Amino acid sequence: DLENSPFYLVQQTREWSAMPDECGRELPRRAGVSSFGFGGVNAHVVLEEYAGGAPRRQSTARISQENPGLVVLSAKTPERLEDYARLLMAAIEDNGWDDDVLPSLAYTLQVGREAMEERLAFIVSSTEHLREKLAAFLVGKDGIDDLYRGQVKRNKEALAVFSADEELQEALSKWIAKGKLHKLADLWVKGLAFDWGKLYTENPPQRMSLPTYPFARERYWVPLTANNAGNGGASPMLKRNGSRFGDAYYLGLVDRVVDGNLSVDAAVQEMSDV
């Protein structure tokens, strides 16, 4: 009985109006959505509309010729790393990002992406500077200034020792304080992990939407051959496709349950016997 309650069932298309609180102010619209599976698996989710939020944090981080920034990329393989660099360059060109975006771009790649095996780091002073270095990397140019590339596995054992060394950690803090990004970039591409937040003395930039990981577009379907083309697409390891759900069998089973001629338990048992 939902009468005199804040709940109601949506049985037809209707306007979704916000409900008022005790003072007459509109509350965020909320809804419960349920999904009931034929096999007894049920799911329920409660949704609430977004109604503002905390004020956007202002950051004083800036990247310039006098104060360059460190942009990092990593991937599982060299091929994926090149694809990642290509996606990032395309995003810069397609969106027309200016230098105001660069701190958020660098920060997002530093803290918002997993550091993987193949690594690439750029020290840049502008968005155009970054785009040029990405383009040079993608055409295989050698000797690119302020570009660092490395593989974690080649230096894993050595850096495992250094990571726990107090003197190295102290040196890292000094390099960060003095803006010696070259040393940080060189160690990061070799596998050293450190707290990116130390690069920002005050509020760090906001994260932004950037291209996500470029997974390899590889298919692993069983190829359709002359041996399995005539058996309804069944796996070549099967002699035949015994499923009867491709015809009217499944619908007929549901009709029998709806008409009361078959119990749900009996229908489930019959399906499991097929």
Side-chain angles (χ1 to χ4, degrees), residues 152-199:
V152 174
K153 64 181 179 182
R154 293 183 177 179
N155 310 278
K156 190 172 184 180
E157 293 182 2
L159 288 177
V161 176
F162 284 123
S163 295
D165 186 86
E166 293 182 1
E167 292 184 0
L168 177 62
Q169 295 303 319
E170 184 179 346
L172 285 173
S173 298
K174 291 181 179 179
W175 294 343
I176 292 172
K178 295 180 179 180
K180 293 186 176 181
L181 300 181
H182 296 80
K183 293 182 179 292
L184 296 177
D186 186 41
L187 285 176
W188 182 82
V189 298
K190 293 175 180 176
L192 186 69
F194 57 90
D195 183 6
W196 290 105
K198 292 182 178 180
L199 288 176

Side-chain angles (χ1 to χ4, degrees), residues 58-62 201-203:
Q58 296 297 319
S59 174
T60 58
R62 295 291 183 270
T201 56
E202 298 181 6
N203 290 333

Side-chain angles (χ1 to χ4, degrees), residues 9 16 24 40 42 44 57 63 80 96 108 117 121 143 158 161 176 191 197 212 219 225 246 256 263 272 274:
L9 298 178
W16 190 5
N42 306 321
H44 188 74
R57 183 179 66 244
I63 293 177
R80 301 284 73 73
T108 301
E117 174 69 23
V161 176
I176 292 172
T212 52
R219 296 174 61 87
T225 65
R256 290 163 61 193
S263 68
S272 65
V274 173

Side-chain angles (χ1 to χ4, degrees), residues 2-3 7 36 75-76 82 106 130 162 165 178 193-194 271:
L2 301 181
E3 190 174 355
F7 303 102
F36 303 101
K76 289 288 187 181
E82 290 184 9
L130 172 59
F162 284 123
D165 186 86
K178 295 180 179 180
F194 57 90
M271 284 189 292

Side-chain angles (χ1 to χ4, degrees), residues 198-270:
K198 292 182 178 180
L199 288 176
Y200 307 92
T201 56
E202 298 181 6
N203 290 333
Q206 290 277 354
R207 295 193 193 188
M208 63 181 294
S209 177
L210 289 176
T212 52
Y213 190 81
F215 290 100
R217 297 180 178 275
E218 299 173 354
R219 296 174 61 87
Y220 294 93
W221 295 106
V222 175
L224 189 64
T225 65
N227 293 331
N228 62 16
N231 62 0
S235 168
M237 293 185 293
L238 300 177
K239 296 298 183 181
R240 65 182 181 85
N241 185 352
S243 173
R244 290 185 285 165
F245 292 172
D247 50 26
Y249 169 75
Y250 181 77
L251 294 178
L253 197 64
V254 174
D255 289 339
R256 290 163 61 193
V257 173
V258 173
D259 293 339
N261 297 325
L262 185 68
S263 68
V264 173
D265 290 340
V268 172
Q269 183 61 47
E270 186 170 335

Side-chain angles (χ1 to χ4, degrees), residues 49-57:
E49 72 170 323
Y50 174 74
R56 184 175 179 85
R57 183 179 66 244

